[in-house]
Amino acid sequence: MKIEFQAEPLTQISSSALVAYSFEGAGASSGTVELLPAEARNQLEQLQTAGELTGKAFECTILRWPTGMATSKLLVVGAGKPEKFNDALLRNLAGAAVRYLRSRGVRELAWILGSSEPGPITAVVDGALVADYDSDTYRTERNGEKGIDTLWLATGGAALPAESQTALNRGRILGEAQNFTRDLVNEPSNRMTPTILAERAKDMALRFGLSCEVLGAQEIQDLKMGAFRGVAQGSQHEPAKLIVVRYSPEDAPNEPVIGLIGKGITFDSGGISIKPSENMHEMKTDMAGGATMLGVMQAVAQLNPRVRITALIPATENMPSGNAYKPGDVLTSMSGKTIEILNTDAEGRLVLADTLTYAKRLGCTVLIDAATLTGAVLIALGTITTGVFGWNKEWVDRVLAAAGAAGEKMWQLPVDDDYRDLYKSSIADLANTGGRYGGAITGAMFIGEFAGDTPWVHLDIAGTRWANDEKPYRSKGPTGHGVRTLVQLLTSLNP
Ligand code: BES
Ligand code: ZN
Ligand code: MN
């Protein structure tokens, strides 16, 4: 998508569609509709009287050949109640315009900017790119290919501050990073094996000037990652990979080194504790945490914050086979802690345990993991909100603040010593499950046992990784949830 500023007077813009928004109850003279010439506003008022334009959020009303204007199509998007308006909503309004128009064959649109502040510019660009994505990759006739070619940001001739282009670029970087993550999550497991995920990581790293190292089965064994290896051993035909991507700008202070650990299970059958077949296909998305971290690294490489970051992604399938690990087995993790396997379907915490240990060995001083870890978090928070866990209040608060600023919904759930009894084992140091009750908490705390004293924050994205329904501003399918929050966090640290 080509995205550029457009300084022509609004009346002279001849792009195939011009887009304005108006608020609910405020008539046809609120929002960017106010910037239109009086004749066109009169026509909109007639539509309002006829009940065709109410300003309700995401309502789309087309006015053809507005009087006194060069465009053939004016689209008015409802912006809802003015008191609820913010950059997060603006992102979705731009998205709604994109999806409405592209489904009607429009390839070029001009969005009227209501503000020359950087935040709104970033939001519009980001929202347009995210909305222009469809998950129907393998359909012969793809919606995903009928996207918007050109987005103009129409200023109406108003002077733009110097940081406007930076704001536009940031929107593009964010939107493209989320769509990269979504592409990876969307792939079925036969086309997104650990080997392929590692290749995609290497391609991205090469393109954006990051270093990428991929450890194979032998190295995982040599490092004594017994927990990771236990999960991987049932998958003889698709060898496990540990993907390490580094961003270390010379001018950054030596600390902190942020470790971003993303769960990379390319298919989670449950293993010997096999899952029911209903909805098992959804487990192709069990590498969404890893995909999130790769999206974040792609964005960071372009935004250049002064902070050192290492992403680590343990990638493997979780499969039943004659070689698979079994309930009752005891694994020795890289940390030396022993783990009794009570359920082979609690595999995410095992691969993450060893990867956290390795991240610390590589010098990471703060650990943030993202994982499709538990069904329990879906019961708790649904598909809207990511669960946030951690003992370190400072870093948990930073993540929550970043989520607020990025417009992603995240909510803290507790960790507490009283839950530790639930995952005790009578034969080993820990058991890999803590039972049904509080499953998202015990899953998180199991991972936290391997962080030790290092500040650690866990994001359980099992609910938010995927959208089962289409919205006016995004397709159903992979969401890329988490990317914006982590990029916001990393670009606002200023160590
Ligand atoms: N990958 C699943 C969690 C999941 C569930 C992700 C639904 C996305 C949607 C994870 O590996 C898993 O199977 N967790 C088990 C843990 C249990 C055995 C302790 C679960 O949540 O049932
Ligand atoms: Zn899993
Ligand atoms: Mn599982």
Side-chain angles (χ1 to χ4, degrees):
M1 195 190 293
K2 177 174 133 184
I3 308 174
E4 281 176 21
F5 292 106
Q6 155 82 275
E8 272 183 78
L10 301 182
T11 50
Q12 283 170 35
I13 292 178
S14 60
S15 161
S16 38
L18 186 67
V19 188
Y21 59 81
S22 71
F23 291 110
E24 187 175 345
S29 57
S30 66
T32 53
V33 165
E34 262 179 338
L35 306 171
L36 299 173
E39 304 95 305
R41 287 206 327 258
N42 286 341
Q43 289 176 299
L44 292 177
E45 237 133 64
Q46 286 164 23
L47 285 175
Q48 194 193 0
T49 314
E52 287 178 50
L53 194 153
T54 68
K56 282 212 171 69
F58 306 120
E59 172 195 70
C60 286
T61 312
I62 290 271
L63 176 61
R64 275 173 215 288
W65 297 111
T67 313
M69 302 188 70
T71 187
S72 62
K73 228 185 253 137
L74 174 65
L75 168 64
V76 180
V77 184
K81 299 240 164 33
E83 60 271 22
K84 284 195 175 171
F85 188 79
N86 57 24
D87 285 354
L89 181 68
L90 182 62
R91 180 186 308 110
N92 291 343
L93 294 179
V98 162
R99 290 193 73 74
Y100 184 86
L101 290 169
R102 56 176 253 154
S103 72
R104 285 159 181 79
V106 174
R107 299 280 164 269
E108 181 193 15
L109 67 99
W111 174 274
I112 301 174
L113 284 178
S115 156
S116 57
E117 295 283 303
I121 291 173
T122 300
V124 168
V125 174
D126 176 7
L129 286 165
V130 166
D132 204 36
Y133 179 95
D134 266 296
S135 57
D136 59 351
T137 320
Y138 296 105
R139 281 200 182 139
T140 315
E141 288 197 19
R142 285 200 63 192
N143 275 332
E145 276 169 9
K146 299 193 201 123
I148 299 290
D149 298 325
T150 308
L151 167 66
W152 299 106
L153 301 177
T155 63
L160 282 174
E163 60 273 21
S164 301
Q165 187 62 44
T166 311
L168 189 162
N169 294 346
R170 186 180 170 93
R172 176 184 286 288
I173 290 164
L174 283 171
E176 288 177 352
Q178 291 165 86
N179 289 347
F180 173 51
T181 294
R182 295 163 90 190
D183 267 336
L184 296 176
V185 175
N186 197 41
E187 290 294 336
S189 73
N190 61 329
R191 294 171 186 267
M192 188 46 70
T193 62
T195 304
I196 297 173
L197 184 59
E199 286 304 321
R200 297 291 300 266
K202 278 192 213 160
D203 291 348
M204 182 278 288
L206 190 66
R207 185 166 159 219
F208 294 99
L210 300 167
S211 78
C212 178
E213 191 189 353
V214 177
L215 310 190
Q218 188 61 49
E219 288 149 302
I220 292 166
Q221 180 171 346
D222 293 347
L223 286 165
K224 299 198 166 62
M225 295 186 161
F228 185 4
R229 230 160 61 83
V231 175
Q233 77 188 31
S235 210
Q236 290 153 285
H237 302 291
E238 288 300 343
K241 306 283 174 190
L242 178 56
I243 304 165
V244 182
V245 182
R246 286 191 217 217
Y247 168 76
S248 46
E250 277 169 20
D251 61 344
N254 289 330
E255 286 197 9
V257 181
I258 314 280
L260 301 178
I261 298 102
K263 173 176 172 182
I265 302 292
T266 58
F267 188 75
D268 181 11
S269 71
I272 297 297
S273 314
I274 197 161
K275 289 179 182 291
S277 56
E278 196 183 316
N279 297 330
M280 200 202 270
H281 65 280
E282 292 182 359
M283 287 303 120
K284 71 171 189 177
T285 66
D286 213 20
M287 34 58 73
T292 301
M293 298 318 190
L294 291 176
V296 171
M297 293 308 277
Q298 171 173 315
V300 153
Q302 299 167 82
L303 292 167
N304 301 309
R306 281 177 59 247
V307 55
R308 295 176 200 277
I309 308 164
T310 303
L312 303 101
I313 298 150
T316 176
E317 298 181 328
N318 182 26
M319 294 291 279
S321 90
N323 274 353
Y325 77 140
K326 301 176 291 296
D329 286 1
V330 174
L331 306 178
T332 303
S333 66
M334 184 183 179
S335 71
K337 285 192 173 69
T338 55
I339 305 165
E340 182 187 14
I341 303 306
L342 295 181
N343 189 322
T344 63
D345 199 9
E347 84 296 341
R349 62 200 72 183
L350 298 171
V351 302
L352 292 169
D354 279 344
T355 309
L356 257 69
T357 304
Y358 187 56
K360 287 198 288 183
R361 174 158 327 163
L362 290 185
C364 295
T365 60
V366 176
L367 304 170
I368 301 175
D369 81 79
T372 47
L373 199 74
T374 65
V377 86
L378 263 151
I379 305 298
L381 299 173
T383 59
I384 308 291
T385 307
T386 287
V388 180
F389 305 79
W391 297 98
N392 188 287
K393 185 170 178 346
E394 183 188 341
W395 282 93
V396 168
D397 285 348
R398 281 192 180 153
V399 169
L400 292 171
E408 289 186 320
K409 295 183 203 320
M410 298 206 179
W411 198 261
Q412 186 180 3
L413 293 171
V415 288
D416 187 292
D417 278 333
D418 286 358
Y419 290 91
R420 293 184 82 199
D421 289 342
L422 293 171
Y423 52 91
K424 274 190 179 154
S425 162
S426 47
I427 187 172
D429 296 328
L430 301 163
N432 80 326
T433 69
R436 244 164 76 78
Y437 294 150
I441 297 170
T442 51
M445 286 178 58
F446 181 95
I447 299 171
E449 299 285 345
F450 296 83
D453 295 332
T454 306
W456 155 79
V457 183
H458 161 67
L459 307 179
D460 194 336
I461 59 168
T464 48
R465 83 210 184 282
W466 190 265
N468 293 318
D469 54 340
E470 182 169 359
K471 293 275 187 213
Y473 47 85
R474 61 138 173 74
S475 67
K476 68 184 252 183
T479 58
H481 188 100
V483 172
R484 284 208 311 273
T485 296
L486 293 175
V487 174
Q488 174 66 30
L489 173 76
L490 296 167
T491 54
S492 61
L493 279 179
N494 287 321

